[in-house]
């Protein structure tokens, strides 16, 4: 408990400090400088806190200049957060059913996406995913606001959300890989979205191989998913995969500008440890941390796309063309650069010249230079090969610099002013460091630690505004802290994560705000300028099928509502408008196959209706203009009062009807 005495004492200091500053700054148009200082003092705020609050404040009704697109971890969702206000705007379900939006709760379009997202590769139809790394689509290396892709860490899948209506349109279950982690990025013009395996998988017909045959039968996979520029959808026929050695492929990034055409994938466990701690072996984390170096994979993806197009250079494996490891080596598509112990993040700077790697067990970041890499490849400046024959570039020949930043460096983002910001998991801090001359930093100041700020606690990823694109603008940084420990009231044993907003516009970094994340465990996020979301719509054209954006063949206009019976199938063409369903009585018989085509004939933004049937596990959401079909078997007789789940109008409670299923 704070004593009143302490509050008064702090208050007095704050009044004088804040008063001086705030009166100075706000005596202009606001006319209330003294009052602001008093409020700060009353609330016990320090100057830093009051300044931070004002910097992050977004007035009621004002829009944030940035939108943060966050993965939701094993909630299987994406979250949109306004920056700098750190207000949660929306949750978008991708891999996991969600009943607000009716996703996977009986509506045809979403059931179809989830069903297609589970191929025979899976043992069951999947109802969850672990979202880790969102990748916004890009044009010329900058976000273009068209699509966002997100991987499923658990099941090796890729989801696509269309940034017109912010709904998922496709889940692609990737052949030949079981898991995927950080290997997700869009190429600078979104020709491909890359996704790589994390844990290698046996490339055998039945997906099984004894662990004794790990080195022989297991392989990593780098997948280049071809993207249709109109729809954003993946086309497996035009996609290809590259086989990789059975190391654990981790984070990845696309080259851009100076490094356009290249891609970089970190790996660890080049020891190929498989565990066996009850069978006389070492635990995996021990076995996988033996060597001083693992390998950064350097892939010439433009050349790989050419090779994949040539006859005889690939083999079809479960519906996708695969370039074998041997072919990749022969054709000069794959090189390794040594990277210090247990690397995690690999991040290309906005100029494309530098590639920063954080080694979890090394207190440095290592910064590679693409010009040096290209030179070493051209001159075959190799340190031999790995056991699979992949050429290893000489470490000293490709590294531009390294900076001692602190303990547990993971991920790096940039500000477009020649600085990198790296998350330090063990130190619970963000370190700012300078890049080299190719990013505009004078030689004498290159590759140095610049600043450090403490975060709370144990930061994983971090994101700066557009900080992984050519347009990084260095305004804000968000730290994604894994633990919140004591930052929030005790609300049970499962604790929220903590996002912290950090200002990058001053000489030194400062923490402006905390945002508890009580709805999943975000890993990576990207922050896009809100003004780039030019395709976003707030209503559909009347009668739209959300999957195609075209007019639905079952769209129903006002006055065209009807019920048609075809044997045991009952087709209901229903409209929704404030505040009724038409028809509001559906008469079915036990055993019928009931198909209800709902059209929301509203044209006004926000006039969403829901359609819920008790006892049948059905809840659909219909945005203005949207058409959704709900289909079920009338297995249980009864009188079911269906109703609208969105509070749409003063007579929302009256927006209900009867589904009669006669015995
Ligand atoms: Cu570092 Cu999944 Cu990107 Cu989490 S990963 S931190
Ligand atoms: Cu429609 Cu409530």
């Amino acid at each position: 408990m704070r004593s009143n005495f302490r509050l008064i004492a702090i208050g007095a200091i704050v009044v004088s400090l804040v008063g001086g500053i705030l009166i100075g700054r706000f005596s202009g148009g606001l006319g209330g400088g003294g009052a602001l200082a008093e409020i700060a003092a009353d609330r016990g705020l320090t100057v830093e806190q009051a300044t931070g609050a004002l910097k992050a404040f977004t007035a009621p009704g004002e829009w944030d200049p940035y939108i943060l697109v966050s993965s939701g971890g094993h909630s299987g969702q994406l979250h949109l957060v306004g920056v700098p206000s750190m207000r949660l705007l929306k949750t978008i379900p991708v891999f996991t059913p969600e009943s607000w939006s009716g996703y996977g709760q009986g509506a045809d379009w979403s059931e179809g996406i989830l069903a297609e997202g589970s191929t025979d590769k899976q043992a069951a139809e999947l109802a969850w995913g672990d979202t880790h790394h969102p990748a916004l689509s890009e044009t010329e290396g900058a976000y273009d606001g068209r699509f966002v892709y997100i991987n499923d860490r658990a099941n090796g899948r890729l989801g696509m959300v269309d940034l017109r209506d912010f709904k998922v349109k496709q889940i692609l279950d990737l052949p030949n890989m079981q898991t995927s982690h950080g290997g997700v990025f869009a190429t600078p013009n979104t020709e491909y979205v890359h996704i790589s395996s994390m844990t290698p998988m046996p490339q055998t017909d039945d997906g099984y191989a004894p662990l004794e045959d790990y080195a022989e039968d297991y392989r990593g996979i780098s997948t280049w998913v071809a993207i249709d520029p109109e729809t954003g959808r993946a086309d497996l026929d035009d996609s290809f995969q590259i086989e990789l050695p059975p190391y654990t492929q981790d984070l990845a990034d696309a080259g851009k500008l100076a490094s356009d055409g290249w891609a970089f994938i970190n790996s660890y466990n080049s020891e190929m440890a498989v565990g066996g701690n009850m069978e006389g072996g070492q635990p995996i984390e021990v076995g996988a941390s033996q060597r001083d170096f693992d390998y950064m994979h350097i892939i010439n993806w433009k050349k790989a796309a050419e090779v994949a197009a040539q006859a005889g250079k690939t083999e079809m494996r479960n519906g996708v063309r695969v370039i074998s490891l041997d072919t990749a080596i022969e054709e000069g598509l794959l090189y390794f650069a040594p990277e210090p112990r247990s690397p995690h993040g690999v991040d290309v700077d906005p100029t494309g010249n530098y590639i920063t790697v954080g080694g979890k067990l090394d207190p440095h970041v290592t910064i590679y230079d693409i010009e040096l890499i290209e030179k070493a490849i051209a001159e075959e400046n190799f340190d031999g090969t790995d056991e699979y024959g992949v050429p290893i570039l000489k470490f000293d020949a490709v590294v531009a610099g390294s900076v001692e930043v602190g303990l547990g460096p993971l991920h790096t983002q940039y500000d477009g002013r020649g600085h990198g910001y790296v998350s330090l998991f063990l130190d619970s801090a963000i370190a700012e460091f300078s890049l080299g001359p190719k990013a505009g930093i004078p030689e004498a100041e290159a590759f140095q630690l610049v600043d450090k700020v403490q975060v709370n606690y144990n930061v994983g990823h971090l994101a700066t505004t557009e900080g992984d694109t050519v347009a990084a603008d260095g305004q804000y940084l968000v730290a994604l802290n894994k633990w919140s420990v004591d930052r929030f009231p005790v609300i049970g044993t499962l604790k929220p994560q903590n996002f912290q907003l950090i200002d990058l516009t001053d000489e030194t970094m400062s923490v402006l705000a905390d945002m508890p994340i009580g709805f999943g465990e975000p890993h990576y996020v990207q922050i896009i300028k809100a003004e780039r979301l030019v395709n976003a719509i707030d209503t559909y054209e009347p009668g739209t099928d959300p999957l195609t954006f075209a007019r639905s063949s079952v769209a129903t206009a006002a006055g065209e509502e009807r019920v048609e019976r075809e044997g045991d199938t009952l087709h209901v063409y229903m409209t929704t408008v404030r505040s009724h369903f038409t028809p509001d009585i559906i008469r079915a018989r036990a055993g019928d196959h009931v198909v209800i085509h709902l059209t929301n004939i509203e044209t006004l933004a926000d006039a969403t209706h829901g359609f819920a049937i008790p006892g049948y596990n059905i809840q659909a959401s219909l945005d203005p203009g949207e058409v959704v079909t709900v289909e079920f078997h009338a297995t249980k007789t009864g009188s079911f009062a269906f109703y609208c789940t969105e509070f749409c109008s003063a007579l929302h409670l009256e927006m209900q009807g009867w589904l009669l299923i006669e015995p």
Side-chain angles (χ1 to χ4, degrees), residues 89-120:
L89 297 171
K90 183 161 159 170
T91 289
I92 303 170
V94 180
F95 297 109
T96 307
E98 192 271 338
S99 48
W100 171 43
S101 58
Y103 186 66
Q105 303 290 164
D108 58 337
W109 70 274
S110 58
E111 298 284 359
I113 290 170
L114 284 167
E116 276 169 27
S118 293
T119 66
D120 292 345

Side-chain angles (χ1 to χ4, degrees), residues 132-133 181-182 251 344 410-411 460-461 482 521-524:
H132 270 238
H133 291 83
H181 185 217
L251 277 289
H344 190 55
L410 295 182
H411 301 283
H461 273 276
K482 294 291 176 193
E521 190 205 335
H523 288 260
Y524 189 36

Side-chain angles (χ1 to χ4, degrees), residues 155-237:
N155 307 296
R157 300 184 296 165
L158 187 70
M160 185 273 285
V161 170
D162 194 312
L163 298 181
R164 281 177 283 182
D165 60 357
F166 291 75
K167 289 180 187 168
V168 60
K169 303 293 164 174
Q170 186 183 28
I171 296 175
L172 180 67
D173 193 359
L174 292 147
N176 309 321
M177 45 185 276
Q178 188 182 65
T179 58
S180 77
H181 185 217
V184 183
F185 58 76
T187 55
N189 286 302
T190 320
E191 298 95 335
Y192 296 96
V193 170
H194 178 265
I195 176 167
S196 42
S197 58
M198 183 182 190
T199 316
M201 176 181 168
Q203 298 296 313
T204 53
D205 288 342
D206 56 5
Y208 170 79
L211 286 172
E212 289 70 28
D213 300 338
Y214 192 82
E216 211 164 296
D217 286 346
Y218 287 65
R219 288 291 177 271
I221 290 285
S222 153
T223 307
W224 297 81
V225 179
I227 299 301
D228 178 326
E230 292 303 313
T231 65
R233 283 185 170 75
D235 181 348
L236 209 52
D237 288 344

Side-chain angles (χ1 to χ4, degrees), residues 100-101 167 540 574 576 581 597-600 602 607-611 619-629 646:
W100 171 43
S101 58
K167 289 180 187 168
Y540 290 108
M574 182 186 276
T576 68
F581 298 99
H597 308 289
L598 294 122
T599 303
N600 183 350
E602 303 270 5
T608 294
H609 297 289
F611 176 73
Q619 146 55 16
S621 172
L622 295 131
D623 299 336
E626 185 173 6
V627 179
V628 164
T629 294
E646 282 274 335

Side-chain angles (χ1 to χ4, degrees), residues 5-24:
F5 174 77
R6 193 168 152 243
L7 271 183
I8 291 165
I10 291 174
I13 295 166
V14 168
V15 168
S16 58
L17 288 175
V18 178
I21 288 174
L22 294 187
I23 289 169

Side-chain angles (χ1 to χ4, degrees), residues 332-354:
L333 310 180
L334 176 64
Y335 299 91
F336 285 164
E339 43 186 8
R341 311 193 55 183
S342 291
H344 190 55
V346 55
D347 298 282
V348 179
D349 91 304
T351 70
N353 285 292
Y354 297 114

Side-chain angles (χ1 to χ4, degrees), residues 56-58 62-67 81-87 89 530:
F57 182 67
T58 304
E62 298 286 323
W63 295 6
D64 284 298
Y66 298 95
I67 296 195
V81 175
V83 174
S85 72
M86 306 308 281
R87 295 179 297 196
L89 297 171

